[in-house]
Amino acid sequence: MVVAIDGPAGAGKSTVARALAERLGFTYLDTGAMYRAVALLATEGASPAEAAGELDIALGDRVLLGERDVTAAIRSPAISEAASRVSTDPEVREALVRKQRALLEAGDWVAEGRDIGTVVCPDAEVKVFLTASPETRARRRADELGTDLASVMADMELRDLRDSQRFHAPLIAAPDAVPVDSTALDLDGVLEQIELLVVEAREVLR
Ligand code: DC
């Protein structure tokens, strides 16, 4: 089974997807980390398309590029910005989507990103579009990064705009995705809603 969790930055996707995977005993796939890894290699001079095609990445508690631990490096504001840029490149998207589909083919997954329910896995048994108010999303990111709210708001607006207006696989909810708004919910509240959807999907599969 695939649980697809899409939505904008700061909606809580990573926290929710990781916790949900743990509760369900599914494997967590952070597709944003793949775009971030390509962005890191691009800032070091690699061609983004080639870096994506040859990406040797291991995703888990630590993110490894070959032997190199890039867990912290891919979370910097500069790489967030660079990732938003490389993710507009259709060749990068094609290469990473191919890798993501190959992973999701077998087993049980909670996959998180922007295009999981629309492009990567349109047949996902559960699709969630996780959102929160812009203020909430910016506050969460600012807390996470230890930076000031105003600059996070400005960066986030720009990234949201680019992610939702790009030509290839823009950030939109799949028509059959269930919208979940995390503004007024804590982690358990969000997990409960999604777990209900998983229970329903299992009923359908039986
Ligand atoms: O989820 P994140 O912040 O780690 O994502 C980093 C960037 O990668 C973000 O600008 C959107 C892009 N991305 C994407 O285009 N498609 C995905 N499936 C995941 C991330």
Side-chain angles (χ1 to χ4, degrees), residues 9-188:
K13 292 190 303 293
S14 302
T15 313
V16 166
R18 196 176 282 121
L20 183 70
E22 192 159 308
R23 277 205 196 177
L24 297 171
F26 288 14
T27 309
Y28 165 54
L29 177 62
D30 175 4
T31 60
M34 297 171 96
Y35 288 92
R36 286 172 179 274
V38 170
L40 178 68
L41 294 169
T43 58
E44 292 170 355
S47 134
E50 277 174 28
E54 295 162 6
L55 197 67
D56 172 16
I57 193 169
L59 297 164
D61 284 344
R62 315 294 304 173
V63 178
L64 301 178
L65 276 183
E67 309 246 292
R68 178 177 165 207
D69 190 327
V70 296
T71 314
I74 61 168
R75 299 291 158 197
S76 73
I79 296 301
S80 298
E81 170 61 24
S84 168
R85 282 177 195 282
V86 299
S87 68
T88 63
D89 180 334
E91 282 186 81
V92 168
R93 300 206 71 84
E94 198 187 317
L96 295 188
V97 166
R98 195 176 312 126
K99 282 183 201 297
Q100 292 155 15
R101 283 186 181 151
L103 287 169
L104 297 177
E105 212 154 86
D108 292 317
W109 295 86
V110 179
E112 171 221 326
R114 304 292 190 287
D115 59 344
I116 309 299
T118 49
V119 176
V120 177
C121 193
D123 295 334
E125 286 83 356
V126 175
K127 295 185 190 178
V128 171
F129 196 77
L130 190 65
T131 55
S133 71
E135 296 73 25
T136 306
R137 297 195 288 116
R139 191 163 12 80
R140 286 180 188 157
R141 267 289 142 103
D143 289 349
E144 218 172 86
L145 296 167
T147 44
D148 71 290
L149 188 63
S151 71
V152 172
M153 272 294 253
D155 286 354
M156 225 178 57
E157 265 171 33
L158 190 70
R159 282 216 289 147
D160 281 353
L161 200 70
R162 200 185 291 130
D163 289 347
S164 51
Q165 293 192 345
R166 71 176 172 230
F167 186 68
H168 295 279
L171 171 67
I172 41 162
D176 52 348
V178 177
V180 174
D181 186 335
S182 73
T183 307
L185 292 173
D186 62 6
L187 178 59
D188 275 335

